[in-house]
Amino acid sequence: MSKSLFIDGQAGTTGLGIARRVAALPGVELVTLAEGSRKDAGARAAAMAQADLTVLCLPDDAAREAVALAPAGARILDASTAHRVAPGWVYGFAEMAPGQAGRIAEARLVSNPGCYSTGAIALLRPLTAAGLVRAEQNIAINAVSGYSGGGKAMIAAHERDGGPAFELYALGLGHKHVPEIMAYGGLSARPLFVPSVGHFAQGMLVSIPLFTDVPPARLVQAYADYYAGSANVVVRGLWNEDLQPEALNDTDRLEIFVAANEAHGQAVLIARLDNLGKGASGAAVQNLQLMLGLEA
C-alpha cells in the first residue's frame, strides 16, 4: 500500500529538494495543492488530514502556525528551527544515539536537524558520551557552507557577477542552531559558533579545534565505535591532507576526520557533508522513510 505525503512549503529550496527525492521513492504519493490554495488554511489542513505525513518547509513562525492548524493526530516532520528543542518532539538525526532511528520511526512529531548542527553534533556527541570532551568545556565551532542554504537573497548575491568570495555571518554570536547543538551535542556550556559561506553552491565543512591531552588515536576509536555499522556516517580517521567541502555533494553521507599534533596537545575535529543532503533534504527523506515504515 502506498503512503501519502504533503509538503507544506514545497516551493522553497528544501521543499523542492525533498519533492525531487521523493519522486524517486516507490510507494510514496505526493498530496499537492493548486497554486492558489498553497496559503489557504483550510486547504492546507485538509491536505494534512489526507496525508500519512506532512513535512513543513516553512519559516519558523509559519511552522508553528502550521502545527496549530494541523488536525489532531497528524504526523509532522518539521524542517524549520521552530521545534528542534521543543518538548514532545523527537530530533531527526537517526545516527545521533543508539535507538534514535526507532524513536523517529515511532514518533508523531519529528524535527529535522540543521545542517551545521548535524556536523557539530556528529563530532561532539560521541566524545561527550565517552567523557573525552566535558559538557562544561569551552568549545569553538567553525563552519563553512555552500550558499545554496542561505535563501533566495544569498543565492542571488553569489550567482550574479562579482558575488562575494567568502563571508562570515551571524557575528552577534546568537546563531539559531546553537540551542540544538548544546542539547544534542552534550554541552552545558554555550559554544562559540562562527558560521561562514563560501562562493560555491553546495557542500559543508564543520570543524572544532581542541586543546586536549586525549591521544588522537583514542578520538578516532571513539568515533569508530560510536558509528560502527552506520551506512551514512563514515569515520575517515587521522588526516593531514587538504579537505574540500564539495566532495560529498548530492549524497546523504557524512564523513568524520581528526587532524592532530599530539606533541602540542592539539586536534581539529572535522565533519564533511552536503548542506542540501545529510544537512537538509537528504536527512528529511531519511526521516520520512523511517516515519512511513519504508526502507531508509
Side-chain angles (χ1 to χ4, degrees), residues 181-208:
I181 292 172
M182 292 182 65
Y184 305 112
L187 300 179
S188 58
R190 183 181 178 86
L192 177 60
F193 174 46
V194 184
S196 60
V197 175
H199 194 53
F200 54 93
Q202 287 174 246
M204 174 172 285
L205 292 171
V206 179
S207 59
I208 301 177

Side-chain angles (χ1 to χ4, degrees), residues 4 23 153 158 167:
S4 56
H158 278 269
E167 51 189 318

Side-chain angles (χ1 to χ4, degrees), residues 56 67 76-78 83-84 86-91 109-111 184:
L56 304 181
V67 171
I76 297 174
L77 172 63
D78 183 10
H83 300 102
R84 290 182 184 157
W89 289 74
V90 173
Y91 195 64
L109 303 172
V110 175
S111 59
Y184 305 112

